[in-house]
Amino acid sequence: MILAVVLSTAGAGVHAQSIMPRAPEIAGSSYILIDATTGHVIMEQNADEALPPASLTKMMTAYIAEVEIDNGNMSYDDLAFISEKAWRTQGSKTFVDVNSRVRIEDLLRGIIIQSGNDASVAMAEHIAGSEEAFADLMNQHARALGMNDSYFVNSSGLDDDGNTNLMSARDLATLARATIVEHPTHYAMYSEREFTFNGITQPNRNTLLFRDPTVDGMKTGWTTQAGFCLVASGERDGMRLIAVVMGTASEDARVVETQKMLSYGFRFFETYRLYDAGEVINSARVWSGAESSVDLGIQEEVLITLPRGRSEDLVATLNTDDVIRGGFEAGEVMGTVEVSLEDEVLYSGDVVAIQAVERGGLLRRLIDALTLFFMGLFS
């Protein structure tokens, strides 16, 4: 049985909210914009191309540290030994002292806010014993997250004699989303505008934090090979977006191009609550049961991304068996629902029985069996 249910209709005419321009052109090697809540891709270009990520690498270094902390394997107050290798690491620095011990919380801030290469190496050595072993750990975490176009050789993103890390814009968006969704207690660090360590105060290199009050993360990167890169996240009116741009021409360009994507996404799209957890979406006839009908609904809350002003145009199609017989528990899958906007399917998921329905008595089963026989539905 296929039952089409129109959730609501926009009616005749063109609505101003449904008028939408094409996505802006972005001056970068690759880019992607996603809804952090649903994972829906709003715009992208060359998003699967593996490119040098420069210091965006440190997002994975920080992510692994956050995993280790949340799994109870280390804490903010643990002390990491600063090796000569970490101390000598060139490029941006947190200015840790050789042979000293530094709190994990300070190293994490050094990685996220100051983009410290020395802090990244120190964190890698503390967690895995060596940076080479940590790079293997980075690759394992990448595979577990489904980052199929990423490969790591170090924890900082520095070019290493031509052997460099590789990440795609899509993988960076995946990693950013995992950081925000899976480890939210650490995310506030990404919004901090400066960090002082060893008497040296350095500003956060993500200048979008100073330009746009709705932006609260995440990370910048630059090398000659990678160009200027930026992963940014912000929230407006209950919608969180993640924007990634790689290979722009300047520090200012990466900010301008990222702002274009965020402005477009926030202006023309919304995160829409399609169903509440346990919401009844329809009812179905029950044969041979103690009850003659059952409510069908969604077990968990469902959120989707759609163009603003188009919620009334959504169409839900409910698919269930031709005959539903009594003798099932609450929560048992009874079919599927598919929600589409024009020709695009925005959601497809299971529909469950909201209540349990026991088998009916012998007389009820006999009457329903005869009814189904004459209807040609008996099996």
Side-chain angles (χ1 to χ4, degrees):
M1 176 174 61
I2 299 177
L3 177 62
V5 182
V6 180
L7 299 178
S8 58
T9 57
V14 177
H15 290 247
Q17 286 282 7
S18 65
I19 298 174
M20 181 182 301
R22 67 175 182 269
E25 294 184 4
I26 303 299
S29 301
S30 69
Y31 58 85
I32 192 169
L33 177 68
I34 70 168
D35 184 329
T37 301
T38 66
H40 179 86
V41 176
I42 294 173
M43 58 182 290
E44 63 177 293
Q45 182 70 38
N46 298 330
D48 296 313
E49 184 177 356
L51 296 169
S55 283
L56 298 185
T57 294
K58 296 183 179 76
M59 288 176 58
M60 178 59 86
T61 302
Y63 172 81
I64 293 174
E66 291 158 11
V67 169
E68 292 295 305
I69 293 167
D70 288 348
N71 286 346
N73 296 327
M74 67 180 187
S75 74
Y76 277 168
D77 292 325
D78 288 350
L79 298 176
F81 177 75
I82 307 302
S83 69
E84 185 172 349
K85 176 185 177 181
W87 175 67
R88 288 187 180 276
T89 304
Q90 297 302 304
S92 52
K93 288 178 174 288
T94 297
F95 297 102
V96 294
D97 291 327
V98 65
N99 296 328
S100 68
R101 294 187 180 275
V102 177
R103 293 177 69 246
I104 291 298
E105 183 176 10
D106 290 334
L107 282 184
L108 194 55
R109 279 193 165 86
I111 293 167
I112 292 170
I113 301 168
Q114 301 173 333
S115 197
N117 294 330
D118 50 358
S120 299
V121 174
M123 184 72 80
E125 291 177 339
H126 180 76
I127 292 174
S130 71
E131 192 174 19
E132 293 76 18
F134 187 77
D136 182 64
L137 193 61
M138 296 169 82
N139 288 318
Q140 291 183 48
H141 275 279
R143 289 193 292 271
L145 289 170
M147 297 167 58
N148 300 320
D149 299 298
S150 295
Y151 179 71
F152 299 96
V153 296
N154 62 49
S155 61
S156 65
L158 284 171
D159 295 337
D160 186 13
D161 297 327
N163 189 16
T164 185
N165 299 328
L166 293 172
M167 301 180 77
S168 68
R170 192 183 313 280
D171 284 355
L172 281 159
T174 297
L175 178 58
R177 187 179 181 217
T179 298
I180 294 167
V181 173
E182 297 175 13
H183 305 283
T185 57
H186 308 285
Y187 183 65
M189 280 190 189
Y190 292 86
S191 67
E192 294 178 16
R193 296 187 174 189
E194 64 179 29
F195 176 54
T196 301
F197 183 81
N198 220 357
I200 302 170
T201 300
Q202 298 184 66
N204 195 313
R205 287 167 167 77
N206 181 7
T207 55
L208 259 183
L209 294 173
F210 304 88
R211 298 190 186 189
D212 186 339
T214 66
V215 171
D216 54 14
M218 294 190 59
K219 190 73 188 70
T220 63
W222 174 83
T223 62
T224 302
Q225 187 176 3
F228 292 84
C229 309
L230 176 60
V231 177
S233 182
E235 187 173 19
R236 298 181 196 173
D237 301 323
M239 183 186 201
R240 175 170 289 281
L241 296 178
I242 295 170
V244 181
V245 64
M246 305 180 73
T248 67
S250 68
E251 185 174 340
D252 188 61
R254 69 185 174 194
V255 173
V256 170
E257 301 308 307
T258 301
Q259 192 75 73
K260 285 182 189 177
M261 288 193 284
L262 291 174
S263 296
Y264 175 75
F266 283 127
R267 172 65 183 85
F268 295 106
F269 291 83
E270 64 178 317
T271 306
Y272 179 75
R273 179 178 284 102
L274 183 63
Y275 297 119
D276 290 321
E279 181 176 341
V280 175
I281 63 173
N282 213 310
S283 61
R285 175 76 161 89
V286 176
W287 301 89
S288 303
E291 306 292 337
S292 60
S293 66
V294 62
D295 291 329
L296 303 178
I298 304 295
Q299 272 189 316
E300 298 178 349
E301 181 185 55
V302 176
L303 299 167
I304 61 172
T305 308
L306 77 162
R308 288 192 180 275
R310 298 299 305 277
S311 60
E312 293 183 345
D313 300 329
L314 295 172
V315 175
T317 303
L318 179 65
N319 302 281
T320 64
D321 291 337
D322 290 339
V323 176
I324 296 175
R325 288 185 168 84
F328 51 81
E329 300 295 326
E332 187 170 328
V333 176
M334 308 302 288
T336 61
V337 64
E338 186 175 275
V339 179
S340 58
L341 180 63
E342 297 177 347
D343 295 329
E344 182 182 5
V345 176
L346 297 179
Y347 172 74
S348 181
D350 290 335
V351 171
V352 302
I354 300 299
Q355 311 93 8
V357 176
E358 297 179 355
R359 290 185 69 194
L362 180 60
L363 180 59
R364 169 55 60 192
R365 298 201 305 273
L366 178 61
I367 292 172
D368 284 355
L370 289 172
T371 303
L372 288 171
F373 176 80
F374 287 112
M375 292 173 60
L377 295 174
F378 184 80
S379 61

